[in-house]
Amino acid sequence: MRLSIDVLLDYFVDDSAEVLLQIEAAAMADQRLEQQDLRVYCDNPLRAMSGEEGIGQRTWARASGSFQAEYRAVVAIDRAPVDLSSLPPTAMAELPAEAIPYLLPSRYCESDHFEGFVQSEFAGLEGGALASAIGDWVRENLTYASGSSSGVTTAMMTFADRRGVCRDYAHLLVTLARAGGIPARCVSAYAPGVDPPDFHAVAELWLAGGWHLIDATGMAKCGEIARVAVGRDATDIAFMTVFGTATMYRQVVKVTRLDDAVRNGGVG
């Protein structure tokens, strides 16, 4: 699967502030960057560094007044579908160092408050069978509602409200997985078919020696997701963090399946 990605961020930054961007698709074994171009319009030099776990790239900019960023890329994804329910459990003592932090509670994923619920709701399940059941539960018990949450909404609040956006679905899935002893992290991503079109958030769970993507909203297939960044929760994967105040004028995220675009006469 090949994806065309086109992003525009158009903001006004009050006074002067540091801006941290995470909008570039990550170069990884299962997703190859065929083309990539990031342009940031500001008066100060940029500074780039690796993202969490060495995945993706963070870019620092200092902005004052008008601030724009444009990103375009073509990403080839080579990721075979996996039947999660068939994957065996991994004993905690056998987990690699990289997975252990993702067993622990974090700011938006209060997994220590959900252990009793997971034990009762998913009794007898472990490993991939538990992961698959949790993904199904989140998908079936939440309602996707734009504007129903905010930047302070936690997994516990989403669990109580039973509605949210992709970030909330990812937070709750990650939280329940951690409560069940499965390392889980949040992933910012690009994917076609996301409605409304925007930066997308999914979950990634450690099973059978590797990370496996799950989109609890059901909008994105595993083989059509291009990772941008990974982290404990939305704090680590935000596409743009302003250390000050800013006003959004315009934000556009367009992700197109190139094969579909060719059949329909080209990329518009």
Side-chain angles (χ1 to χ4, degrees):
M1 170 60 63
R2 296 171 69 245
L3 300 178
S4 170
I5 299 165
D6 196 341
V7 176
L8 169 65
L9 303 179
D10 186 3
Y11 283 73
F12 185 88
V13 177
D14 299 325
D15 298 322
S16 181
E18 301 289 348
V19 178
L20 183 62
L21 295 173
Q22 290 190 113
I23 62 175
E24 297 169 82
M28 302 181 69
D30 58 357
Q31 54 184 60
R32 178 170 52 87
L33 302 180
E34 294 185 352
Q35 300 174 28
Q36 181 171 233
D37 182 34
L38 172 65
R39 300 187 182 190
V40 180
Y41 299 93
C42 64
D43 295 332
N44 298 285
L46 306 178
R47 182 184 175 212
M49 61 185 63
S50 296
E52 198 79 14
E53 301 291 333
I55 295 173
Q57 179 168 282
R58 290 170 167 148
T59 300
W60 281 105
R62 185 164 187 83
S64 178
S66 178
F67 177 81
Q68 290 186 337
E70 296 176 351
Y71 176 66
R72 292 182 176 85
V74 174
V75 182
I77 300 172
D78 183 11
R79 186 182 306 124
V82 175
D83 178 10
L84 295 184
S85 63
S86 67
L87 299 179
T90 301
M92 289 187 184
E94 297 176 1
L95 290 171
E98 68 179 274
I100 293 173
Y102 299 109
L103 275 175
L104 307 176
S106 60
R107 178 179 178 182
Y108 295 106
C109 300
E110 316 100 309
S111 52
D112 51 330
H113 295 291
F114 285 89
E115 293 171 0
F117 172 77
V118 171
Q119 290 170 7
S120 62
E121 182 72 22
F122 307 104
L125 298 180
E126 57 182 355
L130 174 58
S132 182
I134 288 173
D136 290 343
W137 189 93
V138 173
R139 185 177 302 111
E140 293 167 2
N141 286 274
L142 295 189
T143 298
Y144 192 97
S146 297
S148 61
S149 64
S150 71
V152 300
T153 302
T154 67
M156 185 171 288
M157 296 164 68
T158 299
F159 182 80
D161 292 342
R162 299 298 170 96
R163 60 179 184 162
V165 295
C166 62
R167 156 192 159 129
D168 306 304
Y169 278 70
H171 277 161
L172 187 54
L173 196 162
V174 163
T175 298
L176 297 179
R178 291 178 187 171
I182 300 173
R185 64 192 185 186
C186 291
V187 180
S188 59
Y190 295 113
V194 173
D195 186 20
D198 204 345
F199 297 99
H200 199 41
V202 299
E204 202 164 30
L205 278 55
W206 181 272
L207 295 162
W211 291 104
H212 298 274
L213 290 162
I214 304 179
D215 181 7
T217 70
M219 288 192 286
K221 298 178 181 178
C222 174
E224 297 183 341
I225 296 172
R227 298 183 201 84
V228 174
V230 304
R232 297 161 299 169
D233 52 36
T235 305
D236 296 333
I237 66 171
F239 70 89
M240 179 176 173
T241 303
V242 180
F243 293 84
T245 57
T247 302
M248 183 183 75
Y249 288 156
R250 187 165 51 132
Q251 181 171 298
V252 178
V253 179
K254 182 179 180 181
V255 183
T256 307
R257 299 178 184 90
L258 280 180
D259 292 343
D260 291 349
V262 170
R263 283 196 294 269
N264 293 325
V267 179

